[in-house]
mmCIF file of all heavy atoms in Angstrom:
data_model
loop_
_atom_site.group_PDB
_atom_site.id
_atom_site.type_symbol
_atom_site.label_atom_id
_atom_site.label_comp_id
_atom_site.label_asym_id
_atom_site.label_seq_id
_atom_site.Cartn_x
_atom_site.Cartn_y
_atom_site.Cartn_z
ATOM 1 N N THR I 176 -52.402 271.683 195.459
ATOM 2 C CA THR I 176 -52.494 271.818 196.922
ATOM 3 C C THR I 176 -52.279 273.273 197.240
ATOM 4 O O THR I 176 -52.018 274.084 196.362
ATOM 5 C CB THR I 176 -51.350 271.013 197.601
ATOM 6 O OG1 THR I 176 -50.080 271.591 197.232
ATOM 7 C CG2 THR I 176 -51.357 269.542 197.225
ATOM 8 N N ALA I 177 -52.345 273.632 198.527
ATOM 9 C CA ALA I 177 -52.098 275.021 198.899
ATOM 10 C C ALA I 177 -50.671 275.422 198.594
ATOM 11 O O ALA I 177 -50.339 276.593 198.501
ATOM 12 C CB ALA I 177 -52.426 275.206 200.411
ATOM 13 N N GLU I 178 -49.759 274.423 198.455
ATOM 14 C CA GLU I 178 -48.363 274.738 198.140
ATOM 15 C C GLU I 178 -48.155 274.882 196.626
ATOM 16 O O GLU I 178 -47.376 275.750 196.190
ATOM 17 C CB GLU I 178 -47.408 273.619 198.653
ATOM 18 C CG GLU I 178 -47.213 273.564 200.131
ATOM 19 C CD GLU I 178 -48.458 273.116 200.901
ATOM 20 O OE1 GLU I 178 -49.099 272.114 200.485
ATOM 21 O OE2 GLU I 178 -48.819 273.759 201.890
ATOM 22 N N THR I 179 -48.780 274.045 195.834
ATOM 23 C CA THR I 179 -48.535 274.111 194.378
ATOM 24 C C THR I 179 -49.437 275.115 193.684
ATOM 25 O O THR I 179 -49.064 275.671 192.634
ATOM 26 C CB THR I 179 -48.756 272.694 193.728
ATOM 27 O OG1 THR I 179 -50.100 272.266 193.994
ATOM 28 C CG2 THR I 179 -47.779 271.696 194.258
ATOM 29 N N LEU I 180 -50.606 275.413 194.267
ATOM 30 C CA LEU I 180 -51.522 276.372 193.601
ATOM 31 C C LEU I 180 -50.837 277.716 193.330
ATOM 32 O O LEU I 180 -50.992 278.251 192.198
ATOM 33 C CB LEU I 180 -52.806 276.508 194.454
ATOM 34 C CG LEU I 180 -53.943 277.329 193.816
ATOM 35 C CD1 LEU I 180 -55.284 276.853 194.316
ATOM 36 C CD2 LEU I 180 -53.764 278.804 194.103
ATOM 37 N N PRO I 181 -50.138 278.299 194.302
ATOM 38 C CA PRO I 181 -49.537 279.624 194.008
ATOM 39 C C PRO I 181 -48.504 279.567 192.853
ATOM 40 O O PRO I 181 -48.345 280.557 192.149
ATOM 41 C CB PRO I 181 -48.863 279.984 195.327
ATOM 42 C CG PRO I 181 -49.554 279.199 196.366
ATOM 43 C CD PRO I 181 -49.931 277.915 195.716
ATOM 44 N N ILE I 182 -47.851 278.426 192.660
ATOM 45 C CA ILE I 182 -46.890 278.289 191.589
ATOM 46 C C ILE I 182 -47.641 278.383 190.234
ATOM 47 O O ILE I 182 -47.224 279.126 189.325
ATOM 48 C CB ILE I 182 -46.123 276.963 191.670
ATOM 49 C CG1 ILE I 182 -45.310 276.909 192.992
ATOM 50 C CG2 ILE I 182 -45.234 276.721 190.472
ATOM 51 C CD1 ILE I 182 -44.763 275.511 193.319
ATOM 52 N N ALA I 183 -48.771 277.676 190.157
ATOM 53 C CA ALA I 183 -49.570 277.705 188.924
ATOM 54 C C ALA I 183 -50.206 279.090 188.712
ATOM 55 O O ALA I 183 -50.262 279.591 187.608
ATOM 56 C CB ALA I 183 -50.614 276.634 188.936
ATOM 57 N N ALA I 184 -50.631 279.689 189.826
ATOM 58 C CA ALA I 184 -51.256 281.045 189.729
ATOM 59 C C ALA I 184 -50.231 282.048 189.217
ATOM 60 O O ALA I 184 -50.543 282.895 188.385
ATOM 61 C CB ALA I 184 -51.796 281.451 191.089
ATOM 62 N N ALA I 185 -49.017 281.904 189.719
ATOM 63 C CA ALA I 185 -47.947 282.830 189.307
ATOM 64 C C ALA I 185 -47.607 282.666 187.839
ATOM 65 O O ALA I 185 -47.104 283.598 187.200
ATOM 66 C CB ALA I 185 -46.699 282.573 190.138
ATOM 67 N N SER I 186 -47.934 281.513 187.275
ATOM 68 C CA SER I 186 -47.659 281.254 185.869
ATOM 69 C C SER I 186 -48.845 281.576 184.984
ATOM 70 O O SER I 186 -48.787 281.379 183.759
ATOM 71 C CB SER I 186 -47.240 279.798 185.681
ATOM 72 O OG SER I 186 -46.086 279.525 186.468
ATOM 73 N N GLY I 187 -49.932 282.014 185.582
ATOM 74 C CA GLY I 187 -51.075 282.486 184.788
ATOM 75 C C GLY I 187 -52.360 281.696 184.916
ATOM 76 O O GLY I 187 -53.376 282.059 184.319
ATOM 77 N N ALA I 188 -52.325 280.589 185.688
ATOM 78 C CA ALA I 188 -53.582 279.828 185.858
ATOM 79 C C ALA I 188 -54.585 280.576 186.743
ATOM 80 O O ALA I 188 -54.161 281.326 187.632
ATOM 81 C CB ALA I 188 -53.244 278.489 186.501
ATOM 82 N N ASN I 189 -55.839 280.397 186.442
ATOM 83 C CA ASN I 189 -56.889 281.013 187.339
ATOM 84 C C ASN I 189 -58.041 280.055 187.675
ATOM 85 O O ASN I 189 -58.933 280.441 188.421
ATOM 86 C CB ASN I 189 -57.411 282.324 186.742
ATOM 87 C CG ASN I 189 -58.002 282.156 185.368
ATOM 88 O OD1 ASN I 189 -57.993 281.086 184.789
ATOM 89 N ND2 ASN I 189 -58.557 283.214 184.832
ATOM 90 N N VAL I 190 -58.003 278.810 187.176
ATOM 91 C CA VAL I 190 -59.004 277.826 187.533
ATOM 92 C C VAL I 190 -58.228 276.594 188.018
ATOM 93 O O VAL I 190 -57.431 276.009 187.269
ATOM 94 C CB VAL I 190 -59.925 277.465 186.361
ATOM 95 C CG1 VAL I 190 -61.044 276.517 186.827
ATOM 96 C CG2 VAL I 190 -60.526 278.713 185.734
ATOM 97 N N PHE I 191 -58.541 276.200 189.275
ATOM 98 C CA PHE I 191 -57.710 275.187 189.906
ATOM 99 C C PHE I 191 -58.555 273.977 190.292
ATOM 100 O O PHE I 191 -59.487 274.090 191.063
ATOM 101 C CB PHE I 191 -57.044 275.749 191.161
ATOM 102 C CG PHE I 191 -56.209 276.986 190.831
ATOM 103 C CD1 PHE I 191 -56.782 278.261 190.893
ATOM 104 C CD2 PHE I 191 -54.901 276.858 190.430
ATOM 105 C CE1 PHE I 191 -56.067 279.388 190.532
ATOM 106 C CE2 PHE I 191 -54.187 277.973 190.089
ATOM 107 C CZ PHE I 191 -54.750 279.249 190.151
ATOM 108 N N VAL I 192 -58.177 272.828 189.736
ATOM 109 C CA VAL I 192 -58.870 271.566 190.038
ATOM 110 C C VAL I 192 -58.130 270.901 191.204
ATOM 111 O O VAL I 192 -56.913 270.856 191.181
ATOM 112 C CB VAL I 192 -58.869 270.647 188.809
ATOM 113 C CG1 VAL I 192 -59.491 269.262 189.170
ATOM 114 C CG2 VAL I 192 -59.573 271.277 187.644
ATOM 115 N N ALA I 193 -58.875 270.451 192.179
ATOM 116 C CA ALA I 193 -58.220 269.725 193.292
ATOM 117 C C ALA I 193 -59.134 268.606 193.748
ATOM 118 O O ALA I 193 -60.273 268.847 194.140
ATOM 119 C CB ALA I 193 -57.921 270.666 194.429
ATOM 120 N N GLY I 194 -58.645 267.382 193.655
ATOM 121 C CA GLY I 194 -59.410 266.216 194.055
ATOM 122 C C GLY I 194 -59.014 265.726 195.420
ATOM 123 O O GLY I 194 -59.722 265.931 196.416
#
Side-chain angles (χ1 to χ4, degrees):
T176 64
E178 287 70 45
T179 59
L180 186 151
I182 297 168
S186 302
N189 58 356
V190 186
F191 303 90
V192 176

